[in-house]
Amino acid sequence: MPDVPDFRLLFDATLSPLLVLDRDFSIVEVNRAYLTATRTQRDIVGHPVFDVFPDNPDDPSADGVANLRRSLETVRASGRTDTMALQRYDIPTDEEGVFAERYWSPVNSPVLDAEGRVAYVIHRVEDVTEFVHLRRVGREQRRAVADAQMRAEGMEIDLFVRAREIREVNEQLSWANAELDAAGRRLREEQRAKDRFIATLSHELRNPLAAASAATELLALDIPDGHPALSVLERQLGTLARMSNDLLDGTRAVTGHLELVREPVDLRSVVDGACADIRGLFGHEGRTLGAVLPPDPVIVDGDRLRLAQVLTNLLSNALKYTRPGGHTEVGLTARDGRARLTVRDDGIGFEPGQAEELFGVFMRAAPAGPDTPEGLGLGLAVVRTVVELHGGEITAHSEGPGKGASFTALLPTTDTTAPQQPRPAPVRAAPRALSILIVKDNIDLAATYRTLLERQGHQVTAVHTGTDALNATESRPFDVVLCDLGLPDMDGYAIARALRSRPDGTDLRLIAVSGFSQGTDRALSRAAGFDAHLTKPLPLTDLLDLLEHLGES
């Protein structure tokens, strides 16, 4: 017979904020999520709920106490669950007499005793303050960003609705193990549905992002002297691409589905690479970025790409919250079997008591407003998950608002020698022109890729279905097929298998292009016969480097 679970631990670990009240509406139990949401301590247990959370005396229209009392009395009298409308119910802060504006979505559920009488009331809430604030903010955005922003905001709201559905608490904590198992199965199915939704949304966002990125690169070729609008487009498209990645990685972080490909990695090279990639953005508006590295290697057993993602997310966070002219410093040291990686900025900082909250899903250092930078509040949640998957820990620190912030990751080191990083290849003669077939159902993206590649001297044909791709390869030979995996009539895997089965199929070079880039996705493309797997939005330089390699082979 399986062990009976510890219901107190289950209750405390539940992600929804929960408060248990007796018949007189005094607090008898509270979980960690509720304490975090309301910024209170466990000493509220034993006190009447309306003493702990009175109405805001500075708000003459405050009706939170009256509405909550009415709902609780309804539950006590009827023995039925009462779902309340969206409520404004301000909460006291650490400063005497000061209240913080908060909006909640509450549900009050009865717990019946053996005689069917209400013994307790479970008060469950979700903090929806940010969404209420977002609805008040009416900022105009450029047309290229508006559609993606609307989708992202709608997705966030949908996530909160789904989260409430999948985190339904057992109305009676004494349910049998069989009932708990059934609830767990329903929870996992809802989680999978949410994961599929986010993965699909992230994938769909990549198509317009890829087309816009390719069009920007084409404009850069047409305007060799540059144009101020190009740098704006590049920065904003980069922001949208990071937001799309955060959507997918944020869900994987929460569900524990992030994948690691481990190898000995010298963290110095990770810092060098990440700083080089993002330093251009710091140059905007006079911001500066520095790095202090030790002379000796700092080796960890980790995933190079995920570790680079940790540093990139921390640097992006510093960039967002550092004012023009500010400075960010990256430091790396190693001692007593652990590497210490620190990112310190002189930006807006945060309240010291807010440090742990920053690593939560959809949490941001500053509330939404006209001066708040874009972001989904997922980057630091991904950072914590990646660091913990490597057996490390990460902390945040600030002396207070306006005094800057520092984030410190501690990772276990290893004595294994890191593989030598390849040196830059010497300059080579221009590769031969290739005959390339582009297979993409997105007409704008196919046309832009075609123009970009023809500018490089290649002969390019573009088709938009799998059937047309198979017909085109029968009528004439191609050196390279650049194939999307998601097509209207058949997937790219089927196309690859069909081409490889032909007598001349081994001579063809197949490149998969997809919005999905997990290790399992790449394994599937390799199994189908693809030589390479590129992720949208696809930088032109990456594609040209790969074609140059294929053209020389």
Side-chain angles (χ1 to χ4, degrees):
M1 181 124 181
D3 293 337
V4 176
D6 188 327
F7 292 107
R8 181 175 293 276
L9 288 179
L10 290 175
F11 173 78
D12 201 38
T14 301
L15 298 180
S16 284
L18 296 173
L19 192 68
V20 181
L21 307 173
D22 63 14
R23 287 182 55 83
D24 296 324
F25 309 144
S26 289
I27 301 170
V28 297
E29 190 51 87
V30 61
N31 71 350
R32 282 179 293 176
Y34 191 93
L35 295 176
T36 299
T38 60
R39 300 184 182 181
T40 53
Q41 304 293 327
R42 288 198 60 84
D43 58 10
I44 67 173
V45 174
H47 294 275
V49 66
F50 301 115
D51 289 350
V52 177
F53 300 108
D55 275 332
N56 185 350
D58 295 331
D59 182 4
S61 64
D63 57 1
V65 168
N67 292 337
L68 178 57
R69 185 185 298 277
R70 187 180 307 114
S71 175
L72 293 174
E73 289 175 348
T74 298
V75 173
R76 183 173 62 184
S78 66
R80 296 182 179 178
T81 295
D82 184 64
T83 300
M84 300 177 65
L86 181 70
Q87 297 289 312
R88 175 175 175 177
Y89 201 141
D90 297 346
I91 62 174
T93 65
D94 294 337
E95 187 175 349
E96 182 68 26
V98 177
F99 282 68
E101 181 180 317
R102 288 291 184 274
Y103 292 85
W104 310 89
S105 178
V107 177
N108 297 310
S109 304
V111 177
L112 306 180
D113 61 17
E115 285 74 31
R117 295 173 301 183
V118 175
Y120 301 98
V121 178
I122 297 177
H123 176 60
R124 176 171 63 85
V125 295
E126 292 289 350
D127 186 344
V128 295
T129 305
E130 184 168 348
F131 292 119
V132 174
H133 289 171
L134 283 174
R135 286 199 296 268
R136 296 176 179 173
V137 177
R139 293 184 300 167
E140 292 187 358
Q141 298 191 2
R142 294 176 178 81
R143 184 176 300 176
V145 180
D147 183 59
Q149 183 67 25
M150 290 173 61
R151 292 184 185 180
E153 290 176 357
M155 186 282 308
E156 288 187 30
I157 295 173
D158 187 65
L159 282 179
F160 267 83
V161 173
R162 287 176 179 269
R164 288 207 304 266
E165 294 174 355
I166 66 174
R167 294 197 298 261
E168 283 293 341
V169 172
N170 234 321
E171 291 187 355
Q172 297 189 18
L173 297 180
S174 60
W175 279 2
N177 284 335
E179 291 173 316
L180 285 174
D181 289 341
R185 287 193 295 271
R186 290 194 298 271
L187 183 73
R188 288 190 294 272
E189 180 55 36
E190 289 290 343
Q191 185 67 58
R192 285 193 292 269
K194 187 192 73 172
D195 293 346
R196 290 193 295 269
F197 167 75
I198 294 180
T200 301
L201 174 62
S202 179
H203 179 267
E204 290 305 315
L205 285 175
R206 290 175 189 269
N207 281 322
L209 280 175
S213 298
T216 302
E217 292 180 327
L218 182 57
L219 286 174
L221 293 177
D222 288 339
I223 311 175
D225 294 332
H227 190 282
L230 285 176
S231 61
V232 173
L233 285 172
E234 290 170 353
R235 287 196 302 272
Q236 296 303 323
L237 288 170
T239 298
L240 287 174
R242 286 193 296 274
M243 290 171 66
S244 176
N245 290 334
D246 283 348
L247 287 176
L248 201 55
D249 285 341
T251 300
R252 291 169 178 162
V254 172
T255 58
H257 292 161
L258 277 178
E259 297 180 359
L260 295 184
V261 180
R262 291 180 178 273
E263 63 175 345
V265 177
D266 186 352
L267 284 181
R268 297 181 306 170
S269 65
V270 173
V271 174
D272 279 337
C275 289
D277 289 341
I278 204 170
R279 183 167 275 112
L281 297 178
F282 273 86
H284 185 60
E285 296 185 325
R287 297 177 179 85
T288 56
L289 172 63
V292 178
L293 304 179
D296 298 322
V298 180
I299 310 300
V300 299
D301 180 28
D303 185 318
R304 176 178 294 276
L305 294 179
R306 290 298 183 188
L307 291 172
Q309 183 181 24
V310 166
L311 186 53
T312 299
N313 283 10
L314 293 177
L315 290 174
S316 297
N317 189 70
L319 180 63
K320 286 192 295 186
Y321 294 109
T322 301
R323 299 181 180 89
H327 179 69
T328 299
E329 187 84 13
V330 181
L332 177 65
T333 59
R335 182 180 178 184
D336 299 331
R338 293 209 295 183
R340 177 184 292 268
L341 177 64
T342 301
V343 175
R344 181 177 290 103
D345 64 64
D346 54 10
I348 67 171
F350 53 84
E351 292 289 351
Q354 192 184 2
E356 185 65 21
E357 298 177 13
L358 297 179
F359 296 99
V361 177
F362 304 125
M363 294 300 299
R364 293 149 63 117
D371 299 324
T372 303
E374 291 97 348
L376 300 176
L378 292 168
L380 292 181
V382 174
V383 165
R384 164 162 282 184
T385 298
V386 173
V387 170
E388 290 180 349
L389 285 175
H390 284 82
E393 58 184 277
I394 185 163
T395 56
H397 176 74
S398 175
E399 295 295 334
K403 297 183 179 180
S406 64
F407 292 82
T408 301
L410 298 176
L411 296 166
T413 57
T414 178
D415 295 332
T416 306
T417 303
Q420 188 72 24
Q421 291 299 305
R423 296 183 178 180
V427 176
R428 297 184 293 268
R432 66 181 177 89
L434 298 172
S435 176
I436 301 173
L437 175 65
I438 296 176
V439 189
K440 298 196 70 63
D441 60 333
N442 187 307
I443 297 175
D444 289 340
L445 185 55
T448 308
Y449 279 168
R450 176 176 182 172
T451 303
L452 286 170
L453 293 173
E454 286 178 343
R455 295 284 185 89
Q456 304 300 317
H458 300 295
Q459 298 176 356
V460 185
T461 301
V463 297
H464 309 301
T465 67
T467 302
D468 290 343
L470 296 179
N471 292 336
T473 52
E474 284 183 343
S475 60
R476 58 168 292 189
F478 289 94
D479 298 310
V480 177
V481 175
L482 190 67
C483 185
D484 204 339
L485 294 181
L487 295 167
D489 55 342
M490 66 177 69
D491 60 41
Y493 303 120
I495 296 173
R497 287 191 289 268
L499 293 178
R500 289 300 190 205
S501 67
R502 294 177 179 176
D504 58 347
T506 57
D507 298 329
L508 193 60
R509 294 294 178 263
L510 302 180
I511 303 175
V513 179
S514 173
F516 300 111
S517 60
Q518 286 283 88
T520 51
D521 302 318
R522 296 179 182 276
L524 287 173
S525 63
R526 284 196 302 272
F530 283 102
D531 297 296
H533 184 115
L534 300 178
T535 305
K536 294 183 290 188
L538 174 61
L540 176 62
T541 53
D542 292 350
L543 176 58
L544 294 180
D545 287 345
L546 180 58
L547 292 178
E548 180 180 352
H549 174 72
L550 295 176
E552 294 173 348
S553 59

